[in-house]
Amino acid sequence: MKYALALGGGGTRGAFEVGVWHALNELGIEIEAITGTSIGAVNGAVFASGLDADDLWLNIRATDIAEIKGNNLFSPMSLFGAVKDLTSGGIDASAFKDFLARHIDENSVRQSGIDYGLCTYRTDTRKSEELFIENIPDGKLLDYIFASACFPMFKPAKIDGVEYSDGAMRNNLPVNMLIDRGYDTIICVSVKGVGMIKSIDQCGVNIININCRTPEVGLMEFDRKSISKSIKNGYYECMRVFGKYSGDYYAITRDSFDGAIFTYGKDIVSGVEEAALMCDIDPYKVYTFDELYRCVLSSYKSSRKLRFLVYAMRRQYKGRGILDSLGKYFRAANSIVYLSNHIM
């Protein structure tokens, strides 16, 4: 089976999409079409061209986008430094266009065999402009990708005298382009970006959603460690969606997860994952259920609230109703107490 891929916008959170792409390749999932908005349009072109997305993402700096101070465009220091630009037409992001030219090869995209499309926003009509590769004139692909990713704080992109801005302003996840094209098995990747999501008719269409539930990086934050974590986040989330691994937040081997569900039930297993999050146990590696639980058992005392609840339960505290009202903390502590009585 072949799939189509829709990539959402979201600034540097787009690193999540790189991890998804790695997972799709590892799983042997063949992608025949890609549409993207904003950073999704950038990633889609890189993926289609076969070039190294990691090279782009692990080396990008804030100054590759614009002349700003610090590594976060939304930091007070950066915004204060850009006040003059913001009040006179927007920040000059020509550096970003140069950066794209170093990492995307138009001919490679056109010759890839992948049906590539993007969405941008035309400022004069105030409507989205959705284009597939055959509708983009030769030599203009980078211009349109830049236009799609031209953040509203930037000076508008100009193509043949027409001004464009970030496609997220009207369509931040261009699934509709693929459906209208006739694709009916579509992987949608959302990175919690800011923008409008078009309503779509899903009748007869299989939409496989891969969502960045817990972003590791801000919308315009260029911290390499956070970007690296975001790539891992996308990889493991995709692997869970396609059933390679199980678990809500952790990559747990399927056999051990199914065995734990069969033996203990879903609530206990979910409680262990919640406890692992509270204990800051690394979510970007593969565990058996027993390995994850033992990590929790050896580190839960680092959480003051979790440590108190486990102590109270072990002392057979009678105010269960009060403890139960603590929600996820109660579930996490209850799983620790229960399993410590049953796993040697």
Side-chain angles (χ1 to χ4, degrees):
M1 178 181 289
K2 294 183 179 180
Y3 298 76
L5 178 66
L7 301 171
T12 42
R13 288 179 180 172
F16 178 90
E17 295 170 346
V18 177
V20 171
W21 184 249
H22 288 331
L24 293 174
N25 287 330
E26 188 174 316
L27 292 167
I29 292 174
E30 186 175 352
I31 301 296
E32 60 181 343
I34 301 175
T35 57
T37 294
S38 196
I39 198 62
V42 175
N43 281 334
V46 174
F47 298 162
S49 69
L51 297 176
D52 188 354
D54 284 338
D55 179 56
L56 183 158
W57 278 98
L58 296 178
N59 292 294
I60 192 170
R61 300 167 298 174
T63 51
D64 290 320
I65 307 300
E67 290 299 323
I68 60 174
K69 296 180 180 180
N71 69 349
N72 188 342
L73 182 60
F74 290 155
S75 71
M77 179 176 64
S78 296
L79 291 174
F80 180 77
V83 167
K84 184 177 179 180
D85 292 332
L86 291 171
T87 55
S88 60
I91 297 171
D92 180 5
S94 55
F96 183 42
K97 191 172 183 179
D98 294 337
F99 180 80
L100 294 177
R102 296 196 299 272
H103 289 275
I104 298 174
D105 178 68
E106 177 169 341
N107 289 332
S108 296
V109 178
R110 291 188 182 275
Q111 296 169 12
S112 67
I114 290 178
D115 194 9
Y116 172 78
L118 57 78
C119 174
T120 184
Y121 171 74
R122 186 164 168 162
T123 59
D124 58 348
T125 63
R126 297 185 180 181
K127 293 181 179 179
S128 63
E129 189 155 315
E130 299 166 357
L131 302 167
F132 277 94
I133 190 75
E134 70 270 17
N135 303 124
I136 298 174
D138 287 344
K140 297 285 188 179
L141 179 60
L142 286 175
D143 293 331
Y144 277 96
I145 292 173
F146 176 67
S148 177
C150 192
F151 199 69
M153 293 172 64
F154 300 157
K155 290 181 179 178
K158 286 188 178 181
I159 304 175
D160 298 328
V162 178
E163 291 189 345
Y164 296 88
S165 189
D166 197 321
M169 296 176 71
R170 284 295 181 269
N171 188 3
N172 198 32
L173 189 57
V175 186
N176 63 298
M177 292 178 66
L178 294 168
I179 294 175
D180 293 344
R181 196 81 155 175
Y183 298 103
D184 63 3
T185 308
I186 302 170
I187 301 166
C188 296
V189 185
S190 173
V191 297
K192 283 197 173 181
V194 177
M196 292 182 62
I197 303 294
K198 274 190 175 182
S199 59
I200 57 173
D201 182 359
Q202 297 189 34
C203 293
V205 179
N206 178 19
I207 303 291
I208 302 166
N209 290 300
I210 302 176
N211 297 314
C212 179
R213 295 177 292 174
T214 54
E216 292 285 358
V217 66
L219 290 170
M220 281 290 173
E221 181 184 3
F222 296 85
D223 176 74
R224 290 188 184 181
K225 287 185 178 179
S226 298
I227 286 173
S228 180
K229 285 183 178 180
S230 190
I231 293 173
K232 293 177 182 178
N233 190 4
Y235 172 84
Y236 283 113
E237 187 63 26
C238 183
M239 286 296 200
R240 283 192 290 267
V241 167
F242 280 95
K244 179 68 174 179
Y245 300 121
S246 298
D248 293 326
Y249 303 102
Y250 287 82
I252 303 173
T253 59
R254 291 182 64 183
D255 288 346
S256 71
F257 183 87
D258 292 345
I261 292 289
F262 180 79
T263 304
Y264 308 116
K266 178 65 175 174
D267 286 349
I268 290 294
V269 174
S270 296
V272 169
E273 287 199 75
E274 289 178 323
L277 287 176
M278 295 169 195
C279 297
D280 292 324
I281 293 171
D282 184 6
Y284 302 131
K285 57 180 291 188
V286 181
Y287 299 87
T288 65
F289 177 76
D290 186 65
E291 287 171 343
L292 184 62
Y293 166 67
R294 292 190 185 282
C295 286
V296 169
L297 193 62
S298 65
S299 59
Y300 76 88
K301 292 180 181 178
S302 64
S303 167
R304 182 178 179 182
K305 188 176 289 186
L306 206 51
R307 183 176 71 245
F308 168 76
L309 286 172
V310 170
Y311 175 84
M313 289 179 183
R314 283 177 172 164
R315 295 299 182 275
Q316 296 184 339
Y317 178 68
K318 301 301 182 182
R320 179 185 172 91
I322 297 174
L323 297 181
D324 198 11
S325 68
L326 295 175
K328 64 181 181 180
Y329 281 97
F330 172 81
R331 293 191 299 272
N334 189 59
S335 295
I336 292 171
V337 173
Y338 176 83
L339 289 175
S340 64
N341 293 332
H342 290 81
I343 296 179
M344 298 300 293

